[in-house]
Amino acid sequence: MDKKKQRSLVQWLKGQSKLGKTWLVTAIGLAFLSGLFLIAQAALLANILHELIIEKADKSDIWLSFVGLAIIVCLRAICSWGKEQAGYRAGEAVRLHIRHLVLDKLQTLGPATIQGKPAGTWASLVLEQVEEMQDFFARYLPQMAIAGLIPLVILVVVFPLNWAAGLIFLLTAPLVPFFMALVGMGAADANRRNFKALQRLSGHFYDRLRGLATIRLFDQADAESQHLKVASEDFRKRTMEVLRLAFLSSAVLEFFTSLSIAITAVYFGFSYIGELNFGHYGLGISLFIGVFVLVLAPEFYQPLRDLGTYYHAKAQAIGAAESIVNFLDAQPEHQASGEAKIASDTVEITATDLEVLSPDGIILAGPLTFKIKSGERVALVGQSGAGKTSLINAVLGFLPYRGSLVINGIELKEADLSHWRKQVSWVGQNPQLFHGSVKDNICLSAPLATEEQIQRVAHAAHANEFIQRLDQGYSHPVGDRSSGLSVGQAQRIAVARALLQDGRFWLLDEPTASLDASSERLVMESLDKATKDTTTLLVSHRIDQLGTSDNILVMSKGKLVQQGTFDALKHEGLFSEMIQAVDRSDLDA
């Protein structure tokens, strides 16, 4: 990564920190206050030793100094605790904001873009990489200010007492950040490579985990294990590279800090035995001054050492930010959204020279010209890859388009997509149920639905009959990917969910593709009743389900090759060939 790119990422990170500004200022203020307490603590400790050793004072005479020392130690502990809490809150506020930015971008791009990468990659982006920024905001940014303030205050206190000790501090202090930067120059690149390796590993592992049954069925477990081993080994090497740089940086900082403190101690040692006679403004060096400065010496370098430690957090944040910023700054094609509200009484769709585009601007389907009238039942058919899914995504506002796509007199680009989608009742071929109860999944479209409404739609979808047989009824737990339910049961819950939404436009995408004959009959019966008086677009390979359709759109290779009624199309063109193919398969069976 070039320096210009690193600087831009750092500026972006600092720009996000404004959201946690209050907490950051609090953390810096508490750290500065702790530094002042530290100077007072060193002065009290030096005074106690001077009184006891040089002045031969009795311990009872200086009891106030002991009490003051104990109080200051407690106050420093409170300040340190408060600093950590404030830093964490700052990081938390910024992380939540960044995560919202990523999720909002994903929502804007839609499922068509999300499906372009493995789910594990998105999980890594939203979770791990955002979390890796915590220490940058919670520790590194406050430490940047602390590393300048505390040493400066110590110098102001030390120089009037002994200019030689102050000069040692002043000359050796720049060595720490200099070598910190020198060692850490490659840390950001190492972290960036580490995060890319993590993304690959996460995506690979999650996808293989989801398809574990298929992998075992085709006896590819050993081959996939080897692929996973290669990805894991790459991640291990990247991680060890990051750790190596971190340990090297810490070792360098400790070396130069120890060397600087040793020089200060040697100066005072030789001054006490009379070998060195400078730096004390002609007043001599007392035990108080020597102890006071030597106690402050490690604390003078400590903020700089901490900054070096947290410099690794900066490198981590830069590595994590690169993917996030690239994603947020990317401008793929996506469906524009306006503010116009599509009327919700009836739905009429008119497409004129419609070209559906991918996020990369590639034409997926079109040009298409058709009309779906209000209350009409339209079937969309075609072989796999004909462009049916692309057209559906465009109608739902998930893919960009050129040409015209008008719904109830409003161009979809100018419509409020969120408002439009609330009017769509959708049932797909692979129902997505979420972790929760049966009731939770039915209520996904209407969280405030009453028990009576839930039972009504469940009964209409023929789901009530099997729900009542479950151990916990509507409270029966449902796992991710519909685990615990059969495909037919999951599909009937999806139908109940769509019924509860009560949309004015029904989109049925192969709703019976994975069902047995009995479940198919029940699902289609409930869907026929639900869509009786609404505009419906049915995507299906089942020719026997198309007889009741008012109009049929036939697609092939992204083009609309036929449209008309079942009787008008059954004797010619691609639709006739599809019917003949079904008849031949029935004869073979």
Side-chain angles (χ1 to χ4, degrees):
M1 187 189 306
D2 58 74
K3 292 182 179 180
K4 184 178 179 180
K5 179 68 172 178
Q6 285 196 33
R7 284 195 296 268
S8 66
L9 291 175
V10 171
Q11 289 302 316
W12 182 84
L13 287 167
K14 290 182 177 178
Q16 307 308 308
S17 68
K18 294 178 182 178
L19 292 164
K21 184 177 180 180
T22 301
W23 289 111
L24 286 174
V25 171
T26 302
I28 294 169
L30 288 172
F32 181 72
L33 186 60
S34 178
L36 297 180
F37 286 140
L38 167 67
I39 294 172
Q41 177 183 321
L44 279 174
L45 184 59
N47 181 66
I48 289 172
L49 292 175
H50 182 82
E51 291 292 330
L52 291 175
I53 298 172
I54 304 299
E55 302 297 334
K56 306 296 182 179
D58 190 80
K59 296 183 181 66
S60 59
D61 295 334
I62 55 173
W63 67 272
L64 283 176
S65 297
F66 284 106
V67 173
L69 184 62
I71 292 174
I72 289 175
V73 169
C74 293
L75 290 175
R76 284 194 64 202
I78 293 172
C79 288
S80 296
W81 176 82
K83 169 182 169 292
E84 289 295 322
Q85 290 295 314
Y88 175 81
R89 295 300 179 187
E92 182 182 43
V94 178
R95 283 187 293 112
L96 286 174
H97 172 68
I98 294 174
R99 191 168 281 124
H100 276 301
L101 290 178
V102 175
L103 293 176
D104 289 345
K105 182 78 170 186
L106 286 172
Q107 183 179 8
T108 301
L109 295 177
T113 300
I114 295 173
Q115 292 172 359
K117 290 184 178 181
T121 299
W122 297 118
S124 175
L125 185 71
V126 176
L127 298 176
E128 285 95 341
Q129 291 187 232
V130 175
E131 288 297 322
E132 290 294 339
M133 297 180 179
Q134 170 68 19
D135 281 351
F136 176 82
F137 299 107
R139 299 178 184 275
Y140 178 77
L141 285 184
Q143 196 62 36
M144 284 280 290
I146 296 167
L149 289 174
I150 302 301
L152 179 61
V153 172
I154 292 177
L155 283 175
V156 170
V157 173
V158 169
F159 258 109
L161 298 176
N162 190 287
W163 63 263
L167 193 62
I168 292 173
F169 289 171
L170 187 62
L171 294 178
T172 56
L175 292 175
V176 177
F178 173 76
F179 284 97
M180 173 187 70
L182 191 64
V183 174
M185 286 178 63
D189 282 337
N191 277 279
R192 178 177 58 85
R193 292 190 293 268
N194 187 50
F195 282 122
K196 289 187 178 297
L198 177 60
Q199 281 189 341
R200 288 193 297 269
L201 178 60
S202 297
H204 187 93
F205 180 74
Y206 183 71
D207 287 348
R208 269 55 181 181
L209 188 62
R210 292 175 61 185
L212 187 59
T214 305
I215 291 172
R216 296 184 66 181
L217 183 63
F218 287 93
D219 194 26
Q220 291 298 308
D222 291 339
E224 291 299 332
S225 296
Q226 186 61 33
H227 292 323
L228 187 62
K229 180 180 179 181
V230 172
S232 301
E233 180 64 17
D234 181 51
F235 180 60
R236 184 192 68 81
K237 289 180 179 179
R238 303 300 183 191
T239 303
M240 294 307 297
E241 182 182 5
V242 172
L243 290 175
R244 184 170 62 251
L245 285 171
F247 285 126
L248 179 61
S249 176
S250 297
V252 171
L253 294 179
E254 291 295 333
F255 172 76
F256 283 102
T257 300
S258 300
L259 184 62
S260 301
I261 295 172
I263 292 173
T264 305
V266 168
Y267 162 73
F268 278 108
F270 277 96
S271 296
Y272 281 130
I273 64 175
E275 295 296 328
L276 296 177
N277 190 28
F278 60 87
H280 47 70
Y281 303 105
L283 300 177
I285 299 177
S286 65
L287 180 63
F288 171 83
I289 294 176
V291 173
F292 179 64
V293 174
L294 286 174
V295 170
L296 288 180
E299 302 299 336
F300 175 82
Y301 297 103
Q302 188 60 46
L304 298 172
R305 293 163 66 187
D306 290 341
L307 181 62
T309 302
Y310 301 145
Y311 190 83
H312 179 66
K314 174 189 175 183
Q316 273 187 318
I318 292 174
E322 183 185 28
S323 298
I324 294 175
V325 172
N326 288 342
F327 171 69
L328 294 176
D329 289 345
Q331 297 295 330
E333 293 281 347
H334 65 275
Q335 178 62 287
S337 179
E339 298 180 355
K341 306 291 185 183
I342 296 176
S344 58
D345 48 353
T346 60
V347 172
E348 182 174 284
I349 301 175
T350 303
T352 306
D353 295 328
L354 174 67
E355 290 183 335
V356 183
L357 308 176
S358 72
D360 298 326
I362 300 173
I363 298 177
L364 300 176
L368 309 172
T369 299
F370 62 87
K371 184 173 184 178
I372 302 177
K373 298 178 181 178
S374 175
E376 196 174 46
R377 184 183 180 90
V378 176
L380 180 63
V381 299
Q383 299 174 341
S384 297
K388 303 187 298 296
T389 301
S390 298
L391 176 57
I392 291 172
N393 279 323
V395 172
L396 291 174
F398 292 138
L399 279 178
Y401 68 87
R402 287 198 293 258
S404 176
L405 182 58
V406 176
I407 301 176
N408 289 356
I410 297 176
E411 187 67 44
L412 190 59
K413 293 178 181 178
E414 302 171 359
D416 184 337
L417 295 179
S418 178
H419 180 265
W420 159 237
R421 290 169 189 150
K422 291 179 181 178
Q423 302 176 48
V424 180
S425 288
W426 175 81
V427 180
Q429 56 182 308
N430 296 310
Q432 179 66 60
L433 301 188
F434 299 94
H435 185 79
S437 65
V438 170
K439 178 182 176 180
D440 293 336
N441 278 277
I442 293 177
C443 294
L444 185 65
S445 59
L448 301 179
T450 64
E451 292 291 336
E452 181 182 355
Q453 290 174 317
I454 295 170
Q455 293 187 17
R456 176 177 57 80
V457 296
H459 181 76
H462 298 284
N464 191 52
E465 58 185 50
F466 78 82
I467 294 175
Q468 291 180 338
R469 295 196 300 268
L470 297 174
D471 294 338
Q472 302 179 45
Y474 285 89
S475 298
H476 182 81
V478 178
D480 295 328
R481 298 177 61 80
S482 310
S483 61
L485 298 175
S486 69
V487 176
Q489 291 172 337
Q491 190 68 302
R492 278 182 270 176
I493 289 177
V495 173
R497 182 168 61 193
L499 287 169
L500 189 60
Q501 185 170 359
D502 193 25
R504 306 312 302 162
F505 176 61
W506 279 72
L507 183 54
L508 310 177
D509 184 7
E510 300 282 359
T512 62
S514 303
L515 302 182
D516 56 66
S518 176
S519 297
E520 178 183 347
R521 179 182 59 79
L522 293 174
V523 168
M524 288 307 301
E525 180 182 328
S526 61
L527 288 175
D528 288 341
K529 291 180 181 179
T531 60
K532 185 177 181 180
D533 299 319
T534 61
T535 307
T536 305
L537 178 60
L538 169 66
V539 181
S540 178
H541 286 96
R542 296 293 303 272
I543 302 299
D544 57 340
Q545 295 177 354
L546 308 182
T548 59
S549 299
D550 299 311
N551 194 21
I552 298 174
L553 306 177
V554 185
M555 293 189 67
S556 176
K557 298 180 180 178
K559 306 291 184 181
L560 188 60
V561 295
Q562 286 180 284
Q563 57 179 312
T565 63
F566 185 92
D567 292 335
L569 300 179
K570 66 180 181 181
H571 297 299
E572 61 181 6
L574 179 60
F575 190 70
S576 175
E577 295 176 8
M578 293 173 65
I579 294 176
Q580 293 174 14
V582 172
D583 292 339
R584 285 195 297 271
S585 63
D586 290 340
L587 289 174
D588 293 340

